[in-house]
Amino acid sequence: MDFLRPSTLEEALAAKSEHPDAVPITGGTDVMVELNFDKHRPPALIDLTGVPELARWAPDGDGVRLGAGVPYTRIIAELGERAPALAQASRSVASPQIRNRGTVGGNLGGASPAGESHPVLLATDARIELASVRGTRTVPAREFYLGLRRTARQDDELITAVLLPRPAGPQHFCKIGTRNAMVIAVANFSLALDTEKRTVGTGLGSVAPTPVRAPEAEEFLAAEFDWEGGSVLDEAVVRRFGELVSSVARPIDDQRGSADYRRHAVGVMARRALSWSVTDHRKSLQDPRGDARCA
């Protein structure tokens, strides 16, 4: 196995162009597990830890451009206000040691349907930046996941950044696992409300071959939500929202949980996230200067 270690983004893109079968590695929290258990033996690894452009985040208009190599620990410490749901999801990743190494770019590259960042990227309508020697393009997260561990990234492309919109309302992330730490999600869910556009975003993980949205649930809630007054929603509305979220799940039975449990759990998480979001929205209406989002 060849080991390539570029020191600039240009060198990294050239290496990926010359070795399209090479696997990029930053934290290695997923790749090294596959190597150690001999599940995957690529012809080459491209170590991206020496590429400084990937390890930075910066304001991007009203939003944030998050380098693909920024570890979860920094997202938690530095982006709680700018990307609240992603910070919540980052806190739920494995252990402190893995959060120090793992990245959203790695999560996207592996494209496991159980990855914590995926539901947030779907719910917030983030965009994925892909680069190659041919140029740079962005793909909406909602178009990035094509199938089980298959994405819109081409063989000669690297994931260089995630473009996160400015939060315009409450955002939440929920995860259910067999314990609180060091566990792959049985199911996870993210909800993002845009109180300016009066739209709803959802993201579900570990309940289908790919991370998925619940468009019908989004449209239903956008029509029923009290954007102006922030009043408590009727129980029938909350229950229907959970049912619509559950309806898009296509889970399987495995060692972590049954399909029926996953379908039920994601509906419960949707109702809880909605309740928290209503409370946050009401607080923001009462004190517009305050930050009602959970970071």
Side-chain angles (χ1 to χ4, degrees):
M1 182 188 301
D2 292 329
F3 186 79
L4 311 173
R5 195 176 190 194
S7 58
T8 67
L9 182 57
E10 290 74 16
E11 291 178 1
L13 297 179
K16 187 59 172 156
S17 177
E18 295 169 8
H19 305 271
D21 293 332
V23 173
I25 184 170
T26 49
T29 58
D30 290 332
V31 173
M32 293 309 299
V33 172
E34 293 184 344
L35 290 176
N36 289 337
F37 284 90
D38 206 24
K39 292 184 176 180
H40 187 205
R41 187 66 55 174
L45 293 177
I46 303 177
D47 178 9
L48 299 176
T49 57
V51 181
E53 296 96 325
L54 301 180
R56 301 170 183 156
W57 70 266
D60 181 55
D62 287 341
V64 167
R65 182 183 183 277
L66 176 68
V70 177
Y72 293 115
T73 300
R74 288 187 56 200
I75 295 173
I76 296 167
E78 302 170 20
L79 293 175
E81 299 292 328
R82 296 175 181 266
L86 187 58
Q88 291 177 18
S90 299
R91 288 193 185 95
S92 75
V93 174
S95 66
Q97 295 90 336
I98 292 177
R99 291 194 292 273
N100 284 339
R101 298 289 298 174
T103 66
V104 173
N107 223 201
L108 287 166
S112 165
E116 287 84 358
S117 68
H118 307 312
V120 176
L121 301 183
L122 288 173
T124 59
D125 203 15
R127 299 180 66 86
I128 315 304
E129 183 182 279
L130 303 170
S132 71
V133 295
R134 297 177 286 110
T136 300
R137 64 187 179 114
T138 61
V139 177
R142 296 173 179 183
E143 300 175 10
F144 184 74
Y145 309 101
L146 303 181
L148 180 60
R149 293 185 179 272
R150 291 192 302 109
T151 71
R153 184 187 66 79
Q154 299 298 310
D155 288 342
D156 66 337
E157 291 180 319
L158 293 176
I159 299 168
T160 49
V162 176
L163 308 179
L164 303 166
R166 174 183 64 85
Q171 296 184 2
H172 285 283
F173 171 82
C174 310
K175 174 179 175 178
I176 289 180
T178 52
R179 60 180 185 175
N180 288 334
M182 293 298 291
V183 67
I184 300 173
V186 174
N188 51 36
F189 176 78
S190 184
L191 177 65
L193 304 185
D194 188 325
T195 60
E196 297 171 0
K197 298 179 181 178
R198 298 191 174 186
T199 58
V200 175
T202 58
L204 294 72
S206 205
V207 295
T210 69
V212 295
R213 294 168 52 218
E216 189 176 350
E218 295 172 1
E219 294 176 5
F220 170 78
L221 182 57
E224 297 290 338
F225 196 81
D226 183 6
W227 300 102
E228 294 183 0
S231 61
V232 176
L233 293 172
D234 187 86
E235 180 58 33
V237 172
V238 177
R239 183 169 60 253
R240 182 57 178 161
F241 176 67
E243 291 170 352
L244 290 172
V245 168
S246 296
S247 70
V248 303
R250 291 177 289 143
I252 61 172
D253 297 320
D254 64 14
Q255 66 273 21
R256 299 196 307 277
S258 68
D260 287 343
Y261 177 74
R262 284 186 161 98
R263 192 175 292 108
H264 168 75
V266 78
V268 172
M269 288 189 290
R271 296 197 301 270
R272 289 177 180 173
L274 176 54
S275 175
W276 299 332
S277 296
V278 170
T279 299
D280 287 353
H281 182 50
R282 188 183 311 114
K283 289 179 180 179
S284 70
L285 292 174
Q286 294 169 352
D287 182 10
R289 299 168 299 173
D291 186 354
R293 296 183 299 274
C294 177

